[in-house]
Amino acid sequence: MAVSVTSRALDLLGAFDTGHRRLTLSAMARRAGLPLATAHRLAGELHRWGALDRAASGEYVIGRRLWDLGLLAPVQSGLRHAASPFLHDLYAATLATVHLAVRDDAEVLYVDRLAGHVSVPVVSEAGTRLPMHATGVGKVLLAYAPENVVVRVLAGLTRVTPYTVTEPARLLTQLRRVWAEGYATTGEEMSLGACSVAVPVRGPGGSVVAALGIVVPDLRRGRARLVAALQVAASGIGRTLSCTSSVQ
Amino acid sequence: MAVSVTSRALDLLGAFDTGHRRLTLSAMARRAGLPLATAHRLAGELHRWGALDRAASGEYVIGRRLWDLGLLAPVQSGLRHAASPFLHDLYAATLATVHLAVRDDAEVLYVDRLAGHVSVPVVSEAGTRLPMHATGVGKVLLAYAPENVVVRVLAGLTRVTPYTVTEPARLLTQLRRVWAEGYATTGEEMSLGACSVAVPVRGPGGSVVAALGIVVPDLRRGRARLVAALQVAASGIGRTLSCTSSVQ
DNA sequence: CGGCCCCTTCCGGTCAGCGGAAGGCAAGTA
DNA sequence: TACTTGCCTTCCGCTGACCGGAAGGGGCCG
């Protein structure tokens, strides 16, 4: 196993996640599986550099320096930039929560989210990872993912709500419909009271680079209008990406 | 000086900045001041963990794992979340580029930005740091900053455009006006063709925690309307922050 | 072909990192 | 008050992980 200082320091950072934004030293040590004294020394070093900050309570939090380093990641610089204005248009037109997501291995990674004042119960925010089979953007991304990813996802269809699709055959049918109709939907499969529609975003080469989705309380009416709005936005993003593809 | 592995690894990450999003191994090594072989080993370790990714060209870029770690930083989780819907309203109402910024020592750190399709030349995006004396949000934050910060900023008024305020006395007068009138303005002081208005955002305790600004091509007309819209949004954000202050 | 630049791998000496142990502080319990 | 439990911090001597010069391999150019 890895016992290098570097990987230990990184594991210490890895102790933070969406549900653990502030950790005491001992909590970090425990989660990273490091002796307290070691964690103390490493955390001190990370803190000195700015990768960790200390809250007023003395707990550790991710530091500003890591925040702006993270913003340099290509996930966002290219895609998010190009998409930003279209997301607003979409929000203005639908007043629904808007999502932009990419596939990260066998999960959906939310790249941007745009929520209004009042919104249906939505778990995701930027940086969140969710299973592919229970979200609209996930189904879209899965439909255009390589074979081996599909196989892995199909092998692990965990139930999230009573409506989550857990039979591989049924999900495959849905993926085929994404191909045919150009969009995916969900109905309370991730969280109760939330339905979603999503469409693929195509990059310069015509390949699917992201998915664009919105979450609404109900899909029985206005579905066509939503799909149309999504597709306009998606193709707009695609065109913008083509223009700036030099930077990637 | 620090010669610990950890700090070297961090320095390697620090080689990336807004102007250097993709670096070859040797470029990283050069910028971090490390021997090539050492940089190679460390970069490999960072890559294995996901802190660095490799672009198709073989160059290194900041990895996704760092990206979502960064999103956990408190700069954003609290403030940005609370502000998000109000920023949209503001954008919808004004169609101007909207900025949310905090003070980071003696600089302005842009926390969020919301730009339309067509926009005046604006340099900032989320994660950018700019000097305080040449931006609207900067002047607001400076007006409510501790004495010693003001002193340091006044000591280093660098010129950015011909219109940048570089005389300490004149900037002080402007700061006093921020106090009196509750908002700050700039006129082509950071980039030509861009004017701005900004107001403070007050947190639970009444202290100024951030600044909210918009950038427009011209301030001669409609200033009052813009200030009013900004103040509505700012007080909305403040109220939201109070509600969720338990999380901080 | 030779020159250039980049990336990658190797290996033994040595010094940075390790972590158990001990001490200090703050809160809760009796 | 004294005891417990939980944190954080510091110390120090042993040791194995890190260091980095050197050598080798690929791609590109003239």
Side-chain angles (χ1 to χ4, degrees), chain B residues 2 6 53 60 76 78 118 128 132-134 141-142 144 167 173-175 180 183 187 203 228 232:
Chain B
T6 316
D53 270 353
Y60 286 93
Q76 61 167 27
V118 186
T128 309
M132 302 194 82
H133 66 286
L141 292 170
L142 191 56
Y144 296 96
E167 305 117 52
T173 310
Q174 295 191 347
L175 295 185
Y183 69 90
V232 168

Side-chain angles (χ1 to χ4, degrees), chain A residues 4 10 21 45 49 62 64 67-68 70 74 77 80-81 88-89 103-104 110 113-114 117 125 129, chain B residues 4 10 21 45 49 62 64 67-68 70 74 76-77 80-81 88-89 104 113-114 117 125 129:
Chain A
S4 73
L10 291 171
R21 295 165 181 250
E45 222 153 350
W49 190 80
I62 296 294
R64 277 183 183 170
W67 177 67
D68 48 74
S77 41
R80 229 192 113 172
H81 236 100
H88 297 138
D89 292 350
R103 182 174 65 81
D104 191 20
Y110 284 82
R113 168 188 103 142
L114 219 143
H117 296 276
E125 54 180 305
R129 286 161 205 280
Chain B
S4 71
L10 291 171
R21 294 166 180 249
E45 222 153 351
W49 190 80
I62 296 293
R64 279 182 182 172
W67 177 67
D68 49 71
Q76 61 167 27
S77 42
R80 229 191 114 173
H81 235 100
H88 298 139
D89 291 351
D104 192 20
R113 167 188 105 143
L114 219 143
H117 296 278
E125 55 180 303
R129 285 161 206 280

Side-chain angles (χ1 to χ4, degrees), chain B residues 59-138:
Chain B
E59 288 168 307
Y60 286 93
V61 293
I62 296 293
R64 279 182 182 172
R65 187 124 180 223
L66 263 195
W67 177 67
D68 49 71
L69 254 190
L71 292 178
L72 299 174
V75 209
Q76 61 167 27
S77 42
L79 181 59
R80 229 191 114 173
H81 235 100
S84 173
F86 295 99
L87 297 185
H88 298 139
D89 291 351
L90 203 52
Y91 173 70
T94 61
L95 292 181
T97 301
V98 179
H99 281 146
L100 181 68
V102 297
R103 182 173 65 81
D104 192 20
D105 192 36
E107 286 179 311
V108 173
L109 175 59
Y110 284 82
V111 166
D112 205 353
R113 167 188 105 143
L114 219 143
H117 296 278
V118 186
S119 55
V120 273
V122 180
V123 275
S124 55
E125 55 180 303
T128 309
R129 285 161 206 280
L130 286 181
M132 302 194 82
H133 66 286
T135 61
V137 282

Side-chain angles (χ1 to χ4, degrees), chain B residues 19 43 45 64 90 180 182 190 198 226 237 246:
Chain B
E45 222 153 351
R64 279 182 182 172
L90 203 52
M190 185 70 222
L226 292 178
I237 296 172
S246 56

Side-chain angles (χ1 to χ4, degrees), chain A residues 43-216:
Chain A
E45 222 153 350
L46 292 169
H47 180 228
R48 222 165 298 129
W49 190 80
L52 291 179
D53 270 353
R54 310 201 65 164
S57 58
E59 287 169 306
Y60 287 92
V61 293
I62 296 294
R64 277 183 183 170
R65 187 124 179 222
L66 264 195
W67 177 67
D68 48 74
L69 254 190
L71 292 178
L72 299 174
V75 209
Q76 67 163 23
S77 41
L79 180 60
R80 229 192 113 172
H81 236 100
S84 171
F86 295 98
L87 297 185
H88 297 138
D89 292 350
L90 202 51
Y91 173 70
T94 61
L95 292 181
T97 301
V98 179
H99 282 145
L100 181 68
V102 297
R103 182 174 65 81
D104 191 20
D105 193 34
E107 286 180 310
V108 173
L109 176 59
Y110 284 82
V111 167
D112 205 352
R113 168 188 103 142
L114 219 143
H117 296 276
V118 187
S119 54
V120 272
V122 180
V123 276
S124 55
E125 54 180 305
T128 307
R129 286 161 205 280
L130 287 181
M132 302 194 83
H133 66 284
T135 63
V137 282
K139 287 181 189 173
V140 167
L141 292 170
L142 190 57
Y144 297 96
E147 185 79 26
N148 68 68
V149 172
V150 180
V151 171
R152 263 185 297 152
V153 170
L154 286 178
L157 300 180
T158 53
R159 175 175 299 287
V160 185
T161 74
Y163 303 100
T164 308
V165 177
T166 53
E167 306 117 54
R170 196 155 149 236
L171 187 58
L172 270 176
T173 310
Q174 295 192 346
L175 294 185
R176 243 173 270 130
R177 280 183 76 169
V178 174
W179 257 100
E181 301 176 359
Y183 69 91
T185 61
T186 61
E188 308 193 278
E189 298 166 30
M190 186 69 223
S191 61
L192 295 173
C195 301
S196 68
V197 197
V199 302
V201 176
R202 291 173 182 283
S207 60
V208 173
V209 295
L212 189 64
I214 58 180
V215 181
V216 290

